[in-house]
Each structure stands twice: as C-alpha cells, then as structure tokens.
Amino acid sequence: MLLPQLKPLHITNNSQPNNQTPDLAIIIIDEQDIEKGQIKSKNILSLDNEMNGTISNLIGLGDFEGKWLQTSTSLVLNQKSAKRVLLVGAGNKLNYMPARSRQIGIKCAEISLSLKANTIFFHCSSQLCNTKELIAQCQIGFNMGMYKYPNSNMKEETKLELEKPIHLNFINTVQNFEKSLDETKHLEDSINFCRLLQDSPPNVATPKFVAHQALEQAKKLGLKVDIWGAEKLREKGFNAMLAVSSGSANEPQFVVIEYSPEKYNKSIAFVGKGLTMDTGGYSVKTPSTSQEGMKYDMSGAAVTLSSILAIAKLKLPVKVYAIAALCENMIDAHSYRVGDVITSLSGKTIEILNTDAEGRVVLSDALYFAAKELKPDYIVEFSTLTGAMITTFGHVGAGVFAFHPELEKIIMTAADSTGERAYPLPIWDEIIDDIKGSISDIINIGNTRGSAGSMVGAAFLNEFTNNIPFAHIDIAGVANDNHSIGYIRKQSSGYGVQLVTEIARILAK
Ligand code: BES
Ligand code: MN
Ligand code: ZN
C-alpha cells in the first residue's frame, strides 16, 4: 500500500513571467492601504498602473476595504500582468502574525483552486507578508490549503487534473529569500506526510503501515531506524504497550528514528502516541459516534515521525530521536480488562480502571524507554491524550504540561514563532496524589474519576520519565477538525510539525 499522491506545487521567488501571462495575480491588502475607496500604498498603485486601473476600479465598487479575509476578484483589463486579479484583505489586526499569514495562504489556495489557476503571482505588499518568516507562513498556508486527501475511488480524469502542477511565484523584496524557500519546502513536505498519515483510514494506516511509511522516508535520508514488533516488545518487557494491543489483530510497532549530526550540543527525544484506532476497548466509546475521528489518535506519532525528516533535511546541529508507539485499542477475547494490573517496562505496576485511558498506558513504556535507554537532554511528547483538552482549548490550541521551566520556555518560544497556539498548564501535587494506586503503584485514571482529566493524564506520564526534563503536549483538539484555525476541511492539521522543528532549531543554537 502506498500513500496517495498530492497535487504538485512549484514555488519560486521573483521569477519573471515567461511569455505566458499568469492565470492569477494575488494581492494582499492591509486595511490601511485603502482610504475612502482610494489606494494609498505605492506598491499597489504601481501594480494598478500595470493593470490599467483594474485594481482601483475594483476597489472603487466599494465592497472591498481590505478587511480580514475579505476577497474580491476581477478580470485584468489589459490581460498583461495577469489574466485575473484576486484581492485578499489582511485587516489591521497585526498580533499573532504567523498564524494570520498562514491563514491568508490557506484562503488564497482555496480561491486559486476554485478559479482553476495554475500559474499564480503572489504580490507580498501587506505587513503580513513582508518578512521571510511571514512569507514562509503564507507559503505553508497555501500548501495546506491545497492539501486534499484523495478519494480512493478517484476517476482517471480527476487524477490527470491532480497531476498538473501549480506554479506559485512570490513577488517580494526580502533579502536572501531563496534559502528560506527551500527550508520552507522541507517543512511543507513533512506537514504533507504527517497529514497523509493522519487522514489515512484505520484499515489502511495500521501500525505496520505507518511504521513502514516512516521507514521508507527515513531511509532516503540515511537515518537510523529501529522497528520492533510484538515478539521483540515481549522480550524487552513492553508489557503496557502489549496490554493495550492485546485485543488487536494488527501487531503493535515501536519505532525509533535517530538523527545524529556530526556536531551537536543538545539531544532531544520526541515521543508520539500512535493509536491507529481507539475504540475505547471494553470501556467502549459510546455512543459509537465518539469513535468517529479516532483514526486521528495516532497524530502524535505522525508528528514525531514526519518532523524528524524536516530536521534532518535542514541539517540542524542537534541530536534528535523520533519515537512512535503504534498500536490499536480494540475489543476481543484477548483484550485487556478493567481491573488488570500490568507491570510496565519501568517496573511500576499500573491498575487499569478504564481501558479507554489507553494512550498514557502505551506511552508509559515509550517514555521509559526514551528516558532509560536514550538518555536525551529533553523529552517532549505529543498525544491526543484527553477529550478534556478539547473542553479546555477547543480546536484552537494545545495544552503544554512541562515539568521543567526552561523546557516550557523553549516550547512557548517555538509556538510563538510558528503561530501554533499552545498554552502552559500546571501539574499540581493534589492531582499527582490522585493517581496513587491501592493494589498497584499507579492507576490509569484519577481516584476522583473524570475531574481535571488533562492534568491527570500529564501527571501519569511524568511517572515514567526518570527525571529527564519532560513536557507533554496534548493535541487532542488541534490534531484534526480545526476549522477555527483556518483550515478548509474537517481533516488533519499537521499541527506540531512546525513546533517540533522549531524546538529543534532553538536547541541547535
Ligand atoms: N484518544 C482519546 C482522547 C480523545 C478524545 C482525543 C476525543 C480526541 C478526541 C483518549 O484515549 C481517551 O479516550 N481519553 C479518555 C480518558 C478518560 C477515560 C480518563 C477521555 O478523554 O475521555
Ligand atoms: Mn481512549
Ligand atoms: Zn486514545
């Protein structure tokens, strides 16, 4: 089985149009660029001249004021600089710029697709695309907006249409932009890979499938890859991970990818929850509608496995491990039960009080392995761990439970620069006490049941990190289904790929 192909996108920088007029000129316009129906910006005025007044005529109609994500299109009168023009409003809210620039890119892709534009000139005259970082976010947004997990019954003619590449040319005055274009391309490739893994249906994206896809990509970059199946996991004592997968016909897979550059000062392990399907097990998710979307329960693993590819291509001087604990939480006669006590890899015993709190159980072995065997300077773990996270931050941001102030700062700095919303949350002693067991060291849900769900999950995970500086990032709300952060479709988001890469970049300094 292969991952589906995405529509190819070629991005250039200030390249001159060949003898063909581009299909579309996109112009991003700030509110302050327009006053009483008149264009104020010199850049836009000169474009308007080239286009024989098309832009001023369009704005003169009075329905476009440059408000946030407002759009207007017109045929270009002289058909010279482009066949059509698209004005996109950037508004005047200049806080939280990277995410806004990305959202502009998404909007532009959405409209370009509907106009069937194949050659596009993107004029960066707004404040939301006047630095290489912000243009990079527009570019990433455009790539995200073009992404579509193909229908597996694709007709031949749609396939052909998909293969026709789109050319996007950024017209800008930023210095040294070529390098930034290439770097951004690596991020885009990782984001696409992550999203394809996330969106693949659970009968396709089994633990073996995901592990195999990651292996293929990592091999191309010469990275060291270890994949352990059930037999090896049994031999090593990964009893917690095996317990969760015991009801599944699909063998669990534990993946460790290592990127070790010649020079580095710091090392970090990124660990991802990889439930390719979570039915809840015997504590079954009812109504069954709550099982919808549980193919996305492997998003943490998708993030770690794809980000390391970008980190390696960027040749960052930091040692990085990407770990994925892949398995399914299913129901059959062999499934683990409520009441079972499991001796995890760490030697700590876990009483299972809810088979649906499986992520933390799987991660207990993965984290302990990372801490004990790899001994990195930091461990950062990504998981769709708790529904309570969605109650807390909706589908807009992730919760960051860092058990280490310096690591928390690194993560928050990274999140600010990539515009992936994240917010620090506490871990209180009272909650740590709430998971003490009576016939085991620890229980997999709080004694108080249900309350402080996300913090309980975080406290549980921290028991297995052997005092290595650790942070848990709960991406349950942002892994998929996030219209609220500007994505077009109710599918994967690739959230976290930029964040992981940025954390690595900070550690590489
Ligand atoms: N994968 C789920 C968390 C989840 C729920 C992610 C909804 C995305 C959307 C996780 O395994 C789970 O079921 N958690 C339980 C924990 C509870 C039993 C303590 C939850 O959040 O309800
Ligand atoms: Mn669950
Ligand atoms: Zn789960």
Side-chain angles (χ1 to χ4, degrees):
M1 263 300 221
L2 287 172
L3 282 177
Q5 292 280 308
L6 295 174
K7 198 177 174 89
L9 175 62
H10 293 303
I11 302 182
T12 50
N13 174 30
N14 291 330
S15 72
Q16 290 306 311
N18 45 21
N19 40 21
Q20 274 186 339
T21 313
D23 295 333
L24 183 65
I26 299 178
I27 304 165
I28 313 299
I29 303 186
D30 297 328
E31 236 172 280
Q32 50 272 37
D33 289 340
I34 301 176
E35 216 179 280
K36 297 197 184 92
Q38 301 282 314
I39 303 170
K40 289 280 147 215
S41 140
K42 271 198 208 139
N43 284 341
I44 300 171
L45 276 173
S46 84
L47 274 169
D48 187 44
N49 272 339
E50 273 176 40
M51 294 183 184
N52 258 4
T54 308
I55 305 172
S56 46
N57 283 343
L58 192 55
I59 290 176
L61 295 175
D63 62 338
F64 182 88
E65 300 137 307
K67 289 210 160 45
W68 177 239
L69 294 188
Q70 210 178 27
T71 58
S72 190
T73 55
S74 168
L75 203 68
V76 174
L77 301 173
N78 59 6
Q79 293 282 291
K80 266 189 194 149
S81 342
K83 292 181 192 160
R84 254 201 264 222
V85 65
L86 163 66
L87 310 182
V88 179
N92 61 10
K93 283 194 273 184
L94 291 177
N95 62 339
Y96 210 54
M97 307 245 299
R100 291 192 193 287
S101 303
R102 194 156 61 236
Q103 223 168 320
I104 295 249
I106 293 172
K107 188 78 183 174
C108 292
E110 191 182 2
I111 298 177
S112 303
L113 282 174
S114 72
L115 297 176
K116 294 196 189 314
N118 281 319
T119 45
I120 302 159
F121 275 41
F122 191 112
H123 295 271
C124 304
S125 40
S126 152
Q127 298 189 55
L128 285 182
C129 47
N130 63 1
T131 65
K132 66 176 182 219
E133 288 79 13
L134 292 175
I135 299 175
Q137 292 306 330
C138 287
Q139 182 183 330
I140 288 172
F142 196 92
N143 170 73
M144 288 176 132
M146 294 246 314
Y147 170 93
K148 187 175 187 303
Y149 189 85
N151 180 341
S152 35
N153 283 324
M154 246 191 313
K155 288 196 210 101
E156 280 308 313
E157 67 258 36
T158 25
K159 265 189 195 162
L160 282 177
E161 190 189 296
L162 280 179
E163 276 153 24
K164 208 165 166 193
I166 287 195
H167 293 272
L168 180 66
N169 183 18
F170 283 99
I171 312 296
N172 67 88
T173 52
V174 174
Q175 303 288 312
N176 298 326
F177 188 55
E178 278 310 324
K179 186 163 167 263
S180 160
L181 260 186
D182 291 343
E183 288 188 2
T184 310
K185 177 87 176 68
H186 298 323
L187 277 171
E188 285 170 359
D189 288 345
S190 280
I191 292 171
N192 284 342
F193 180 56
C194 179
R195 297 183 73 183
L196 287 170
L197 289 177
Q198 288 181 283
D199 286 321
S200 295
N203 59 332
V204 172
T206 59
K208 272 195 174 151
F209 177 90
V210 176
H212 178 78
Q213 294 299 331
L215 173 71
E216 289 284 292
Q217 298 301 322
K219 259 197 326 207
K220 284 190 206 156
L221 299 170
L223 302 177
K224 183 166 175 275
V225 183
D226 274 321
I227 300 178
W228 294 347
E231 202 183 314
K232 188 78 186 231
L233 292 172
R234 209 164 291 124
E235 185 188 302
K236 294 272 179 187
F238 282 57
N239 299 324
M241 193 171 157
L242 286 166
V244 171
S245 25
S246 55
S248 167
N250 290 305
E251 201 183 319
Q253 303 277 289
F254 184 69
V255 185
V256 182
I257 305 180
E258 181 184 327
Y259 162 66
S260 187
E262 258 169 46
K263 277 195 200 141
Y264 64 88
N265 292 318
K266 294 275 164 50
S267 60
I268 184 163
F270 293 106
V271 179
K273 168 177 172 180
L275 268 289
T276 56
M277 177 60 193
D278 176 14
T279 64
Y282 274 99
S283 312
V284 63
K285 288 192 182 290
T286 48
S288 59
T289 46
S290 55
Q291 291 177 31
E292 281 176 22
M294 279 305 135
K295 68 173 181 183
Y296 290 113
D297 215 15
M298 41 62 81
S299 295
V303 169
T304 60
L305 295 174
S306 45
S307 308
I308 196 167
L309 305 174
I311 293 169
K313 289 183 200 160
L314 292 168
K315 302 191 166 61
L316 298 178
V318 51
K319 182 166 181 164
V320 177
Y321 296 99
I323 295 177
L326 297 157
C327 49
E328 279 186 330
N329 189 15
M330 302 294 285
I331 304 175
D332 91 342
H334 301 286
S335 300
Y336 77 145
R337 289 157 286 241
V338 170
D340 281 0
V341 174
I342 298 153
T343 305
S344 69
L345 179 66
S346 69
K348 285 190 186 174
T349 54
I350 305 169
E351 186 183 7
I352 303 300
L353 290 174
N354 189 316
T355 62
D356 197 14
E358 85 298 336
R360 61 200 72 179
V361 177
V362 169
L363 288 164
S364 69
D365 281 350
L367 289 170
Y368 188 75
F369 171 85
K372 199 71 202 293
E373 301 297 325
L374 309 177
K375 299 184 182 65
D377 295 322
Y378 304 96
I379 300 178
V380 174
E381 170 274 337
F382 285 80
S383 50
T384 46
L385 201 73
T386 62
M389 201 63 241
I390 308 174
T391 313
T392 315
F393 291 149
H395 293 285
V396 182
V400 178
F401 295 89
F403 296 75
H404 192 265
E406 182 207 328
L407 181 56
E408 176 180 301
K409 200 158 165 251
I410 293 171
I411 294 168
M412 293 314 300
T413 308
D416 279 344
S417 60
T418 69
E420 286 159 295
R421 280 203 197 270
Y423 206 80
L425 288 167
I427 313 99
W428 290 322
D429 290 349
E430 292 86 339
I431 300 298
I432 295 173
D433 289 342
D434 198 31
I435 47 173
K436 293 222 164 92
S438 54
I439 62 163
S440 63
D441 295 320
I442 193 169
I443 49 181
N444 81 329
I445 55 173
N447 275 308
T448 50
R449 304 292 188 267
S451 57
S454 303
M455 208 194 299
V456 167
F460 182 99
L461 297 175
N462 191 46
E463 292 294 317
F464 300 91
T465 52
N466 223 18
N467 295 320
I468 288 190
F470 168 65
H472 154 62
I473 304 184
D474 195 333
I475 55 168
V478 288
N480 60 293
D481 200 5
N482 38 19
H483 284 269
S484 35
I485 48 178
Y487 299 99
I488 305 168
R489 298 178 187 87
K490 268 185 93 171
Q491 295 181 354
S492 63
S493 68
Y495 176 104
V497 173
Q498 287 205 70
L499 191 55
V500 166
T501 313
E502 195 57 31
I503 293 169
R505 226 193 276 266
I506 294 174
L507 293 179
K509 277 185 190 141

Short mmCIF file of all heavy atoms in Angstrom, two decimals, residues 45-91:
data_model
loop_
_atom_site.label_atom_id
_atom_site.label_comp_id
_atom_site.label_asym_id
_atom_site.label_seq_id
_atom_site.Cartn_x
_atom_site.Cartn_y
_atom_site.Cartn_z
N LEU A 45 -0.34 50.80 -6.05
CA LEU A 45 -0.63 51.77 -7.11
C LEU A 45 0.16 51.44 -8.40
O LEU A 45 -0.38 51.53 -9.50
CB LEU A 45 -0.28 53.19 -6.65
CG LEU A 45 -1.38 53.89 -5.84
CD1 LEU A 45 -0.87 55.22 -5.28
CD2 LEU A 45 -2.62 54.12 -6.69
N SER A 46 1.41 50.99 -8.19
CA SER A 46 2.18 50.70 -9.41
C SER A 46 1.65 49.43 -10.09
O SER A 46 1.62 49.34 -11.32
CB SER A 46 3.68 50.66 -9.13
OG SER A 46 4.04 49.41 -8.65
N LEU A 47 1.20 48.48 -9.29
CA LEU A 47 0.57 47.30 -9.89
C LEU A 47 -0.70 47.69 -10.64
O LEU A 47 -1.00 47.19 -11.72
CB LEU A 47 0.17 46.31 -8.77
CG LEU A 47 1.21 45.32 -8.31
CD1 LEU A 47 0.74 44.62 -7.04
CD2 LEU A 47 1.45 44.29 -9.42
N ASP A 48 -1.43 48.64 -10.02
CA ASP A 48 -2.67 49.10 -10.62
C ASP A 48 -2.41 49.75 -11.98
O ASP A 48 -3.15 49.54 -12.94
CB ASP A 48 -3.34 50.09 -9.65
CG ASP A 48 -4.73 50.50 -10.13
OD1 ASP A 48 -5.48 49.60 -10.55
OD2 ASP A 48 -5.04 51.70 -10.09
N ASN A 49 -1.32 50.49 -12.03
CA ASN A 49 -0.94 51.11 -13.31
C ASN A 49 -0.67 50.05 -14.37
O ASN A 49 -1.16 50.15 -15.49
CB ASN A 49 0.34 51.93 -13.13
CG ASN A 49 -0.01 53.34 -12.72
OD1 ASN A 49 -1.14 53.78 -12.94
ND2 ASN A 49 0.94 54.04 -12.12
N GLU A 50 0.12 49.04 -13.96
CA GLU A 50 0.42 47.95 -14.90
C GLU A 50 -0.84 47.30 -15.43
O GLU A 50 -0.89 46.81 -16.55
CB GLU A 50 1.21 46.85 -14.17
CG GLU A 50 2.70 47.03 -14.14
CD GLU A 50 3.34 45.92 -13.31
OE1 GLU A 50 2.90 44.76 -13.40
OE2 GLU A 50 4.27 46.25 -12.53
N MET A 51 -1.85 47.26 -14.56
CA MET A 51 -3.09 46.57 -14.92
C MET A 51 -4.16 47.53 -15.45
O MET A 51 -5.35 47.22 -15.41
CB MET A 51 -3.65 45.81 -13.71
CG MET A 51 -2.77 44.68 -13.24
SD MET A 51 -3.52 43.81 -11.88
CE MET A 51 -2.22 42.64 -11.49
N ASN A 52 -3.73 48.69 -15.87
CA ASN A 52 -4.67 49.67 -16.45
C ASN A 52 -5.83 50.03 -15.53
O ASN A 52 -6.98 50.13 -15.97
CB ASN A 52 -5.25 49.12 -17.77
CG ASN A 52 -4.57 49.74 -18.96
OD1 ASN A 52 -3.62 50.52 -18.79
ND2 ASN A 52 -5.05 49.42 -20.15
N GLY A 53 -5.55 50.13 -14.25
CA GLY A 53 -6.58 50.58 -13.33
C GLY A 53 -7.56 49.51 -12.86
O GLY A 53 -8.58 49.82 -12.24
N THR A 54 -7.24 48.24 -13.15
CA THR A 54 -8.18 47.17 -12.74
C THR A 54 -8.41 47.18 -11.23
O THR A 54 -9.55 47.06 -10.77
CB THR A 54 -7.62 45.78 -13.14
OG1 THR A 54 -7.29 45.81 -14.52
CG2 THR A 54 -8.62 44.69 -12.87
N ILE A 55 -7.31 47.35 -10.46
CA ILE A 55 -7.44 47.25 -9.00
C ILE A 55 -8.24 48.44 -8.46
O ILE A 55 -9.16 48.26 -7.66
CB ILE A 55 -6.04 47.19 -8.32
CG1 ILE A 55 -5.23 46.05 -8.92
CG2 ILE A 55 -6.18 47.02 -6.81
CD1 ILE A 55 -3.78 46.00 -8.47
N SER A 56 -7.93 49.63 -8.94
CA SER A 56 -8.66 50.80 -8.43
C SER A 56 -10.13 50.75 -8.83
O SER A 56 -11.01 51.12 -8.05
CB SER A 56 -8.00 52.11 -8.86
OG SER A 56 -7.67 52.07 -10.22
N ASN A 57 -10.40 50.26 -10.02
CA ASN A 57 -11.80 50.12 -10.44
C ASN A 57 -12.53 49.15 -9.52
O ASN A 57 -13.67 49.40 -9.11
CB ASN A 57 -11.90 49.59 -11.87
CG ASN A 57 -11.62 50.69 -12.89
OD1 ASN A 57 -11.66 51.88 -12.54
ND2 ASN A 57 -11.31 50.31 -14.10
N LEU A 58 -11.85 48.05 -9.22
CA LEU A 58 -12.46 47.01 -8.37
C LEU A 58 -12.74 47.58 -6.98
O LEU A 58 -13.84 47.42 -6.44
CB LEU A 58 -11.50 45.82 -8.30
CG LEU A 58 -11.98 44.50 -7.72
CD1 LEU A 58 -13.23 44.02 -8.44
CD2 LEU A 58 -10.89 43.44 -7.86
N ILE A 59 -11.75 48.28 -6.44
CA ILE A 59 -11.91 48.85 -5.10
C ILE A 59 -12.97 49.97 -5.12
O ILE A 59 -13.76 50.11 -4.19
CB ILE A 59 -10.55 49.35 -4.55
CG1 ILE A 59 -9.66 48.14 -4.26
CG2 ILE A 59 -10.73 50.20 -3.28
CD1 ILE A 59 -8.25 48.47 -3.81
N GLY A 60 -13.01 50.69 -6.22
CA GLY A 60 -13.99 51.77 -6.38
C GLY A 60 -15.43 51.28 -6.28
O GLY A 60 -16.35 52.06 -5.99
N LEU A 61 -15.65 49.99 -6.52
CA LEU A 61 -17.01 49.46 -6.42
C LEU A 61 -17.52 49.52 -4.98
O LEU A 61 -18.72 49.40 -4.73
CB LEU A 61 -17.08 48.01 -6.93
CG LEU A 61 -16.77 47.81 -8.42
CD1 LEU A 61 -16.75 46.33 -8.77
CD2 LEU A 61 -17.82 48.54 -9.28
N GLY A 62 -16.58 49.64 -4.04
CA GLY A 62 -16.97 49.91 -2.66
C GLY A 62 -17.19 48.70 -1.76
O GLY A 62 -17.50 48.85 -0.58
N ASP A 63 -17.03 47.49 -2.30
CA ASP A 63 -17.29 46.34 -1.43
C ASP A 63 -16.02 45.70 -0.90
O ASP A 63 -16.05 44.68 -0.23
CB ASP A 63 -18.14 45.29 -2.18
CG ASP A 63 -17.42 44.75 -3.39
OD1 ASP A 63 -16.50 45.44 -3.89
OD2 ASP A 63 -17.76 43.64 -3.85
N PHE A 64 -14.86 46.28 -1.19
CA PHE A 64 -13.61 45.72 -0.67
C PHE A 64 -12.83 46.80 0.07
O PHE A 64 -12.45 47.82 -0.50
CB PHE A 64 -12.74 45.15 -1.80
CG PHE A 64 -11.47 44.53 -1.31
CD1 PHE A 64 -11.41 43.19 -0.94
CD2 PHE A 64 -10.30 45.30 -1.18
CE1 PHE A 64 -10.23 42.64 -0.45
CE2 PHE A 64 -9.13 44.75 -0.70
CZ PHE A 64 -9.09 43.42 -0.33
N GLU A 65 -12.65 46.57 1.38
CA GLU A 65 -11.95 47.58 2.19
C GLU A 65 -10.68 47.05 2.81
O GLU A 65 -10.08 47.70 3.67
CB GLU A 65 -12.89 48.06 3.31
CG GLU A 65 -14.17 48.70 2.81
CD GLU A 65 -15.37 48.23 3.62
OE1 GLU A 65 -15.55 46.99 3.74
OE2 GLU A 65 -16.09 49.08 4.15
N GLY A 66 -10.29 45.85 2.41
CA GLY A 66 -9.07 45.26 2.97
C GLY A 66 -9.32 44.61 4.33
O GLY A 66 -8.37 44.31 5.06
N LYS A 67 -10.60 44.40 4.66
CA LYS A 67 -10.91 43.76 5.95
C LYS A 67 -10.41 42.31 5.96
O LYS A 67 -10.24 41.69 4.92
CB LYS A 67 -12.41 43.79 6.20
CG LYS A 67 -12.96 45.18 6.49
CD LYS A 67 -14.17 45.08 7.41
CE LYS A 67 -14.49 46.36 8.13
NZ LYS A 67 -14.47 47.59 7.38
N TRP A 68 -10.18 41.79 7.16
CA TRP A 68 -9.62 40.46 7.36
C TRP A 68 -10.34 39.39 6.51
O TRP A 68 -11.53 39.19 6.65
CB TRP A 68 -9.69 40.11 8.85
CG TRP A 68 -9.22 38.72 9.20
CD1 TRP A 68 -9.94 37.75 9.82
CD2 TRP A 68 -7.92 38.16 8.96
NE1 TRP A 68 -9.18 36.63 9.97
CE2 TRP A 68 -7.93 36.84 9.47
CE3 TRP A 68 -6.75 38.65 8.37
CZ2 TRP A 68 -6.83 36.00 9.39
CZ3 TRP A 68 -5.64 37.80 8.29
CH2 TRP A 68 -5.69 36.51 8.80
N LEU A 69 -9.59 38.78 5.61
CA LEU A 69 -10.04 37.70 4.73
C LEU A 69 -11.16 38.07 3.76
O LEU A 69 -11.80 37.20 3.19
CB LEU A 69 -10.40 36.44 5.52
CG LEU A 69 -9.24 35.73 6.24
CD1 LEU A 69 -9.69 34.41 6.82
CD2 LEU A 69 -8.03 35.50 5.34
N GLN A 70 -11.41 39.39 3.61
CA GLN A 70 -12.34 39.84 2.59
C GLN A 70 -11.67 39.57 1.23
O GLN A 70 -10.45 39.67 1.12
CB GLN A 70 -12.49 41.36 2.77
CG GLN A 70 -13.82 41.91 2.35
CD GLN A 70 -13.87 43.41 2.62
OE1 GLN A 70 -12.86 44.10 2.64
NE2 GLN A 70 -15.08 43.89 2.82
N THR A 71 -12.46 39.23 0.21
CA THR A 71 -11.84 38.99 -1.09
C THR A 71 -12.63 39.65 -2.21
O THR A 71 -13.82 39.93 -2.05
CB THR A 71 -11.75 37.48 -1.43
OG1 THR A 71 -13.07 36.95 -1.40
CG2 THR A 71 -10.88 36.74 -0.45
N SER A 72 -11.96 39.89 -3.31
CA SER A 72 -12.62 40.43 -4.49
C SER A 72 -11.81 40.00 -5.72
O SER A 72 -10.58 40.01 -5.68
CB SER A 72 -12.67 41.95 -4.37
OG SER A 72 -13.49 42.47 -5.38
N THR A 73 -12.49 39.63 -6.79
CA THR A 73 -11.73 39.22 -7.99
C THR A 73 -12.24 39.97 -9.21
O THR A 73 -13.39 40.39 -9.26
CB THR A 73 -11.89 37.72 -8.32
OG1 THR A 73 -13.27 37.43 -8.43
CG2 THR A 73 -11.25 36.85 -7.30
N SER A 74 -11.36 40.09 -10.19
CA SER A 74 -11.76 40.72 -11.44
C SER A 74 -10.88 40.20 -12.56
O SER A 74 -9.76 39.75 -12.34
CB SER A 74 -11.58 42.24 -11.32
OG SER A 74 -11.70 42.84 -12.60
N LEU A 75 -11.40 40.30 -13.75
CA LEU A 75 -10.61 40.07 -14.94
C LEU A 75 -9.65 41.25 -15.06
O LEU A 75 -10.04 42.39 -14.76
CB LEU A 75 -11.56 40.05 -16.13
CG LEU A 75 -11.11 39.32 -17.37
CD1 LEU A 75 -11.07 37.82 -17.08
CD2 LEU A 75 -12.12 39.60 -18.49
N VAL A 76 -8.40 41.03 -15.45
CA VAL A 76 -7.48 42.16 -15.64
C VAL A 76 -7.73 42.75 -17.03
O VAL A 76 -7.73 42.03 -18.03
CB VAL A 76 -6.01 41.70 -15.50
CG1 VAL A 76 -5.06 42.84 -15.84
CG2 VAL A 76 -5.75 41.20 -14.09
N LEU A 77 -8.00 44.06 -17.04
CA LEU A 77 -8.45 44.70 -18.28
C LEU A 77 -7.50 44.46 -19.46
O LEU A 77 -7.93 44.04 -20.52
CB LEU A 77 -8.63 46.22 -18.05
CG LEU A 77 -9.64 46.57 -16.95
CD1 LEU A 77 -9.63 48.06 -16.67
CD2 LEU A 77 -11.04 46.09 -17.34
N ASN A 78 -6.18 44.71 -19.24
CA ASN A 78 -5.27 44.58 -20.39
C ASN A 78 -4.65 43.20 -20.54
O ASN A 78 -3.84 42.98 -21.42
CB ASN A 78 -4.16 45.65 -20.29
CG ASN A 78 -3.36 45.52 -19.01
OD1 ASN A 78 -3.55 44.56 -18.25
ND2 ASN A 78 -2.47 46.46 -18.77
N GLN A 79 -5.02 42.26 -19.64
CA GLN A 79 -4.51 40.87 -19.72
C GLN A 79 -2.97 40.82 -19.76
O GLN A 79 -2.41 39.91 -20.35
CB GLN A 79 -5.10 40.16 -20.95
CG GLN A 79 -6.60 39.92 -20.87
CD GLN A 79 -6.94 38.75 -19.96
OE1 GLN A 79 -6.68 37.61 -20.24
NE2 GLN A 79 -7.55 39.07 -18.82
N LYS A 80 -2.32 41.82 -19.17
CA LYS A 80 -0.86 41.84 -19.25
C LYS A 80 -0.18 41.18 -18.05
O LYS A 80 0.42 40.12 -18.20
CB LYS A 80 -0.36 43.27 -19.42
CG LYS A 80 -0.16 43.61 -20.87
CD LYS A 80 0.54 44.95 -21.02
CE LYS A 80 0.43 45.44 -22.46
NZ LYS A 80 0.39 46.91 -22.51
N SER A 81 -0.28 41.80 -16.87
CA SER A 81 0.45 41.23 -15.73
C SER A 81 -0.18 39.93 -15.24
O SER A 81 0.48 39.14 -14.58
CB SER A 81 0.51 42.20 -14.56
OG SER A 81 0.23 43.49 -14.97
N ALA A 82 -1.45 39.76 -15.52
CA ALA A 82 -2.14 38.51 -15.16
C ALA A 82 -3.48 38.50 -15.86
O ALA A 82 -3.96 39.54 -16.33
CB ALA A 82 -2.35 38.45 -13.65
N LYS A 83 -4.07 37.31 -15.95
CA LYS A 83 -5.40 37.24 -16.57
C LYS A 83 -6.46 37.74 -15.59
O LYS A 83 -7.41 38.40 -15.95
CB LYS A 83 -5.70 35.80 -16.99
CG LYS A 83 -4.82 35.32 -18.12
CD LYS A 83 -5.18 33.91 -18.50
CE LYS A 83 -4.11 33.34 -19.43
NZ LYS A 83 -4.14 31.89 -19.46
N ARG A 84 -6.26 37.33 -14.32
CA ARG A 84 -7.22 37.73 -13.29
C ARG A 84 -6.50 38.29 -12.09
O ARG A 84 -5.34 37.92 -11.86
CB ARG A 84 -7.99 36.48 -12.83
CG ARG A 84 -9.41 36.48 -13.36
CD ARG A 84 -10.20 35.58 -12.51
NE ARG A 84 -10.28 34.26 -13.12
CZ ARG A 84 -11.42 33.56 -13.14
NH1 ARG A 84 -12.52 34.05 -12.62
NH2 ARG A 84 -11.44 32.36 -13.68
N VAL A 85 -7.18 39.09 -11.30
CA VAL A 85 -6.59 39.57 -10.07
C VAL A 85 -7.48 39.16 -8.90
O VAL A 85 -8.71 39.13 -9.03
CB VAL A 85 -6.35 41.10 -10.13
CG1 VAL A 85 -7.65 41.88 -10.22
CG2 VAL A 85 -5.55 41.58 -8.93
N LEU A 86 -6.83 38.81 -7.81
CA LEU A 86 -7.56 38.47 -6.58
C LEU A 86 -7.03 39.36 -5.45
O LEU A 86 -5.83 39.37 -5.17
CB LEU A 86 -7.32 36.99 -6.22
CG LEU A 86 -7.65 36.54 -4.80
CD1 LEU A 86 -9.15 36.64 -4.50
CD2 LEU A 86 -7.18 35.09 -4.57
N LEU A 87 -7.92 40.15 -4.88
CA LEU A 87 -7.52 40.97 -3.72
C LEU A 87 -7.92 40.22 -2.46
O LEU A 87 -9.04 39.71 -2.37
CB LEU A 87 -8.24 42.33 -3.74
CG LEU A 87 -8.21 43.12 -5.05
CD1 LEU A 87 -8.93 44.47 -4.86
CD2 LEU A 87 -6.77 43.34 -5.51
N VAL A 88 -7.00 40.11 -1.52
CA VAL A 88 -7.31 39.46 -0.24
C VAL A 88 -7.01 40.44 0.89
O VAL A 88 -5.89 40.96 0.97
CB VAL A 88 -6.49 38.16 -0.05
CG1 VAL A 88 -6.81 37.52 1.29
CG2 VAL A 88 -6.77 37.18 -1.17
N GLY A 89 -7.99 40.69 1.72
CA GLY A 89 -7.83 41.64 2.82
C GLY A 89 -7.03 41.02 3.97
O GLY A 89 -7.23 39.87 4.35
N ALA A 90 -6.10 41.82 4.50
CA ALA A 90 -5.31 41.35 5.64
C ALA A 90 -5.75 42.03 6.93
O ALA A 90 -5.19 41.78 8.00
CB ALA A 90 -3.83 41.59 5.38
N GLY A 91 -6.73 42.92 6.84
CA GLY A 91 -7.27 43.58 8.03
C GLY A 91 -6.24 44.47 8.69
O GLY A 91 -5.28 44.91 8.06
#
